[in-house]
C-alpha cells in the first residue's frame, strides 16, 4: 500500500493518537550501548557523539540513564509517504503556536511526535483542530 503524499489529505486524515506511557530520549556511547543489551529501545539513532535511544521512562530510570523532561508519544495514524512534503511543517507550526516543543520520528508508515508530557493534552487538541480546519 502506497503512502499518502497529498498534504490536504494527510492533514484531514492524520488522526493523532496519544500513546500510553512516558518516554525519554537518552544518549549512550557506542560502547555503553553495546554493553546495555538487551535494551530493546522504541527507537535509536546513531550520531557522531553517541547513540540516542528512546525508552520508556521506567526502563531508563531502572538502567540508571540520565533523562530530561518525560515525554509523551503521539502517533499520526495516516500512512504518510516518506516523500510527502509539508506534513511536518504543518503540525510543527500548529504546535509552535501553542508553545509546544516537538521531537519528530518518521517511521515507514507513520510520523511520531514526542513532546513534554505536560503538553500532551494541548498538543492533541491543536493537532485535531489542524486536521478539522483542513
Amino acid at each position: 500500500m502506497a503512502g499518502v503524499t497529498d498534504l490536504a489529505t494527510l492533514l484531514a486524515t492524520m488522526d493523532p493518537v496519544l500513546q500510553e506511557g512516558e518516554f525519554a530520549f537518552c544518549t549512550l556511547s557506542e560502547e555503553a550501548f553495546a554493553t546495555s543489551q538487551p535494551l530493546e529501545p522504541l527507537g535509536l539513532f546513531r550520531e557522531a557523539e553517541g547513540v540516542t535511544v528512546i525508552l520508556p521512562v521506567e526502563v531508563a530510570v531502572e538502567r540508571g540513564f540520565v533523562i530530561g523532561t518525560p515525554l509523551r508519544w503521539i502517533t499520526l495514524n495516516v500512512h504518510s509517504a516518506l516523500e510527502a512534503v509539508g506534513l511536518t511543517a504543518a503540525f510543527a507550526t500548529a504546535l509552535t503556536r501553542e508553545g509546544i516543543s516537538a521531537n519528530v520520528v518518521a517511521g515507514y508508515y507513520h510520523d511520531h511526535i514526542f513532546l513534554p508530557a505536560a503538553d500532551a493534552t494541548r498538543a492533541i487538541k491543536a493537532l485535531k483542530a489542524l486536521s478539522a480546519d483542513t
Side-chain angles (χ1 to χ4, degrees):
M1 180 169 113
V4 177
T5 58
D6 178 69
L7 181 58
T9 302
L10 287 166
L11 293 173
T13 62
M14 65 182 177
D15 186 25
V17 174
L18 184 62
Q19 304 296 329
E20 291 295 321
E22 292 187 344
F23 299 85
F25 278 50
C26 303
T27 185
L28 305 163
S29 67
E30 282 285 349
E31 298 77 21
F33 178 69
T35 61
S36 292
Q37 300 305 325
L39 194 54
E40 299 182 27
L42 177 64
L44 70 91
F45 198 87
R46 285 184 162 87
E47 300 177 280
E49 300 85 354
V51 180
T52 299
V53 293
I54 306 169
L55 299 168
V57 166
E58 57 273 9
V59 172
V61 169
E62 175 184 294
R63 295 290 185 109
F65 299 153
V66 175
I67 65 169
T69 301
L71 305 172
R72 292 295 307 270
W73 166 23
I74 295 174
T75 297
L76 302 182
N77 278 331
V78 64
H79 178 184
S80 55
L82 292 171
E83 63 273 8
V85 175
L87 178 61
T88 304
F91 69 69
T93 298
L95 294 174
T96 296
R97 280 195 296 268
E98 297 298 321
I100 300 171
S101 68
N103 296 279
V104 181
V105 175
Y108 185 84
Y109 294 101
H110 306 286
D111 290 274
H112 307 274
I113 309 165
F114 292 86
L115 44 93
D119 296 329
T121 302
R122 288 188 314 115
I124 285 288
K125 183 178 176 182
L127 294 170
K128 287 184 176 182
L130 173 63
S131 187
D133 290 345
T134 303

